[in-house]
């Protein structure tokens, strides 16, 4: 039977959900911390997979049906885990909601998480969970050639009921990121919790097959970050028909011609309710797309006051990338498509498997630090460069000075590729 104290806590918590975000966040933290609000308590919430990656890296081009000399490494992975680790190394402590077993793989993941000073409260830990494991076979250039994934535990144990236990963390977060490893009911539960408190939602597609799960939550999504193939799959899922063919790249495609090929799918995502589409293009950079214009992009991503260790991050990046980007004017029309291209940075590539996750992690950390989307994309690309030059999915550490310098190069080279009505 509930105690009177428990009933009061529940009553106060329900009341907080009905308040505007700022007072709600303040009062919620008072409730949880015995009347005290600690500086920097606003945490991005990240829900999705924690995975042990096994990387098989050949020393010479591989031949089929035989062994190939090379190296095999255990690497801590999982899209959501990689993103969260990147966020933490850029100075913002995320709250992770996931599931792992108590086997060898699970213990490796949890030990690293604890050693980084991150909370394991949201990570479901049970003996009967088989920790997700993915075996990645890379080519000699570091590109993924093939992979086998055993990640059923994410779908089986990362349930709506488990996620509901952390609804107050989600409601007080500056942003929620979900990866598409979640089954649709878990995605819907996560997004609905966020929607009740106007918390922006970032959808990370993970793979072509899983990206289609956006169909059940598109109306809740503020930002989606597909690559080209995932973009097409998402557009087909949202159109309820395979009307978008795969993109055929030409060797001499310009940035503008590539955008024209992707534009119909991008526009469909925006028409279906996704506010911002970040299309990752590998070595060709990123397209940042929305209806309206630069200021419109930030209407759903509340500018947060920098806090704690984020303050230095905010100041250093802002000094490199001034917040008022003068590349275009705004439009009030819903029929207006605005897109900016950000170039990739040259890099000494070691491995490409963590680049996309660090791009998202860099952007999330930037948003939580109070930077706008244009600045955040530049930081994300700088973080992705650091990732491809590292042996692990996420670099051991980031140099803030290097991130700021690289972000400046990207930010200054960004250009508008489309800024007109779609009618």
């Amino acid at each position: 039977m509930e105690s009177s104290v428990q009933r009061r806590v529940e009553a106060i918590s329900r009341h907080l959900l009905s308040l505007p975000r700022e007072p709600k966040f303040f009062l919620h933290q008072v409730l949880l911390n015995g009347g005290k609000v600690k500086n920097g308590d606003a945490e991005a919430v990240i829900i999705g997979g924690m995975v042990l990656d096994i990387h098989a890296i050949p020393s010479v081009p591989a031949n089929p049906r035989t062994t190939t000399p090379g190296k095999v490494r255990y690497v801590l992975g999982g899209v959501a885990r990689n993103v969260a680790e990147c966020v933490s190394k850029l100075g913002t402590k995320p709250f992770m909601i996931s599931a792992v077993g108590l086997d060898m793989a699970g213990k490796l993941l949890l030990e690293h998480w604890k050693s980084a000073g991150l909370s394991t409260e949201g990570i479901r830990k049970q003996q009967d969970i088989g920790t997700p494991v993915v075996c990645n076979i890379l080519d000699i250039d570091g590109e993924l050639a093939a992979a086998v994934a055993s990640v059923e535990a994410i779908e089986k144990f990362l349930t709506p009921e488990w996620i509901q236990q952390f609804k107050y963390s989600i409601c007080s977060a500056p942003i929620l990121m979900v990866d598409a490893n979640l089954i649709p009911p878990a995605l819907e539960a996560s997004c609905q919790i966020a929607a009740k408190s106007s918390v922006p939602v970032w959808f990370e597609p993970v793979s072509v097959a899983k990206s289609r799960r956006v169909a059940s939550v598109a109306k809740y999504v503020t930002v989606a970050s597909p690559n080209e193939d995932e973009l097409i799959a998402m557009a087909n899922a949202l159109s309820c028909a395979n009307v978008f063919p795969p993109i055929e790249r030409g060797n001499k495609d310009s940035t503008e011609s590539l955008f024209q090929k992707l534009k119909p799918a991008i526009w469909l995502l925006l028409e279906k309710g996704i506010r911002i589409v970040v299309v990752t293009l590998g070595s060709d950079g990123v397209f940042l797309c929305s209806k309206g214009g630069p200021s419109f992009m930030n209407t759903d991503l509340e500018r947060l006051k920098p806090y704690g260790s984020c303050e230095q991050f905010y100041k250093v990046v802002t000094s490199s990338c001034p917040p008022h980007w003068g590349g275009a004017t705004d439009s009030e029309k819903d029929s207006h498509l605005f897109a900016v291209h950000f170039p990739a940075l040259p890099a000494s590539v070691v491995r490409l498997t963590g680049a996309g996750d660090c791009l998202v992690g860099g952007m999330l950390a930037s948003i939580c630090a109070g930077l706008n989307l244009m600045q955040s994309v530049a930081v994300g690309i700088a973080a992705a460069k650091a990732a491809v030059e590292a042996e692990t999915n996420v670099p051991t550490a980031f140099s803030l000075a290097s991130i700021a310098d690289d972000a400046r190069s990207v930010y200054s080279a960004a250009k508008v590729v489309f800024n007109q009505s779609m009618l």
Side-chain angles (χ1 to χ4, degrees):
M1 189 172 180
E2 283 186 318
S3 69
S4 60
V5 173
Q6 288 174 317
R7 287 196 296 271
R8 286 191 66 189
V9 168
E10 283 296 317
I12 293 170
S13 297
R14 285 193 295 271
H15 174 62
L16 296 183
L17 294 179
S18 68
L19 294 174
R21 288 201 66 220
E22 285 304 317
K24 175 186 64 191
F25 170 71
F26 177 80
L27 290 173
H28 175 54
Q29 292 301 323
V30 170
L31 179 65
L32 292 186
N33 295 310
K36 298 178 182 178
V37 177
K38 292 179 283 187
N39 189 33
D41 269 337
E43 297 174 324
V45 174
I46 296 174
I47 309 178
M50 298 183 76
V51 179
L52 180 66
D53 287 341
I54 300 173
H55 286 181
I57 309 147
S59 302
V60 297
N63 292 314
R65 296 181 295 280
T66 188
T67 58
T68 301
K71 295 180 179 179
V72 176
R73 293 192 177 97
Y74 292 135
V75 180
L76 305 179
V79 170
R81 195 217 68 88
N82 291 346
V83 170
E85 184 181 359
C86 179
V87 168
S88 74
K89 287 181 175 176
L90 289 170
T92 304
K93 297 297 182 185
F95 185 81
M96 184 80 189
I97 301 176
S98 191
V100 299
L102 299 178
D103 48 18
M104 181 199 77
K107 288 175 182 176
L108 283 173
L109 290 162
L110 287 171
E111 284 170 8
H112 179 268
W113 209 245
K114 291 174 184 175
S115 70
L118 297 171
S119 170
T120 62
E121 180 189 354
I123 302 171
R124 189 172 186 176
K125 303 171 280 286
Q126 292 178 199
Q127 194 71 49
D128 59 336
I129 297 176
T131 300
V133 177
V134 174
C135 181
N136 296 302
I137 301 172
L138 310 179
D139 62 24
I140 57 172
D141 297 318
E143 288 269 19
L144 185 66
V148 176
S150 175
V151 295
E152 300 84 3
I154 301 171
E155 298 190 350
K156 184 176 180 181
F157 292 99
L158 202 43
T159 60
E161 294 75 22
W162 179 257
I163 293 165
Q164 282 283 350
Q165 294 184 54
F166 307 100
K167 60 184 176 182
Y168 301 121
S169 294
I170 296 170
C171 289
S172 61
I175 192 166
L176 166 69
M177 194 209 89
V178 291
D179 82 19
N181 282 306
L182 298 176
I183 57 174
L187 281 172
E188 290 168 29
S190 305
C191 292
Q192 287 166 1
I193 293 168
K196 288 178 181 177
S197 296
S198 302
V199 174
V201 174
W202 187 301
F203 178 84
E204 219 311 306
V206 175
S207 69
V208 170
K210 292 179 179 178
S211 69
R212 298 184 177 96
R213 294 176 177 178
V214 75
S216 64
V217 295
K219 64 182 178 181
Y220 302 111
V221 174
T222 308
V223 185
S225 47
N227 63 25
E228 297 163 64
D229 295 331
E230 292 161 352
L231 170 69
I232 297 303
M234 290 167 68
N236 281 326
L238 289 168
S239 67
C240 301
N242 290 321
V243 296
F244 296 92
I247 298 299
E248 294 185 9
R249 284 266 210 138
N251 291 331
K252 297 183 179 180
D253 273 353
S254 66
T255 300
E256 289 76 12
S257 64
L258 176 57
F259 179 78
Q260 289 299 324
K261 291 178 180 181
L262 298 172
K263 182 177 69 175
I266 292 169
W267 183 246
L268 185 124
L269 266 60
L270 296 172
E271 285 280 85
K272 292 294 184 179
I274 297 172
R275 304 299 294 272
I276 297 150
V277 179
V278 179
V279 186
T280 60
L281 308 167
S283 60
D284 288 318
V286 168
F287 287 135
L288 176 64
C289 313
S290 76
K291 293 181 177 180
S295 63
F296 180 87
M297 288 185 178
N298 293 298
T299 55
D300 283 348
L301 295 171
E302 180 183 352
R303 290 292 294 271
L304 301 173
K305 183 178 179 181
Y307 60 86
S309 58
C310 288
E311 188 168 359
Q312 183 188 8
F313 182 63
Y314 176 86
K315 288 179 178 178
V316 171
V317 174
T318 299
S319 68
S320 297
C321 309
H324 302 294
W325 189 75
T329 56
D330 290 323
S331 171
E332 299 291 329
K333 298 178 180 178
D334 271 352
S335 60
H336 198 94
L337 173 58
F338 175 72
V340 180
H341 175 253
F342 294 79
L345 291 161
S348 302
V349 176
V350 174
R351 177 174 298 113
L352 296 170
T353 51
D357 299 341
C358 284
L359 186 144
V360 173
M363 289 190 66
L364 285 174
S366 301
I367 290 166
C368 290
L371 298 168
N372 66 33
L373 261 177
M374 306 290 286
Q375 295 167 314
S376 298
V377 174
V379 171
I381 291 174
K385 176 197 172 186
V388 303
E389 294 182 333
E391 289 285 346
T392 52
N393 287 328
V394 180
T396 304
F398 289 101
S399 162
L400 184 53
S402 296
I403 290 289
D405 285 344
D406 285 338
R408 181 193 297 116
S409 298
V410 174
Y411 193 75
S412 61
K415 65 176 182 177
V416 175
V417 290
F418 198 84
N419 187 21
Q420 63 190 58
S421 173
M422 290 293 286
L423 293 179

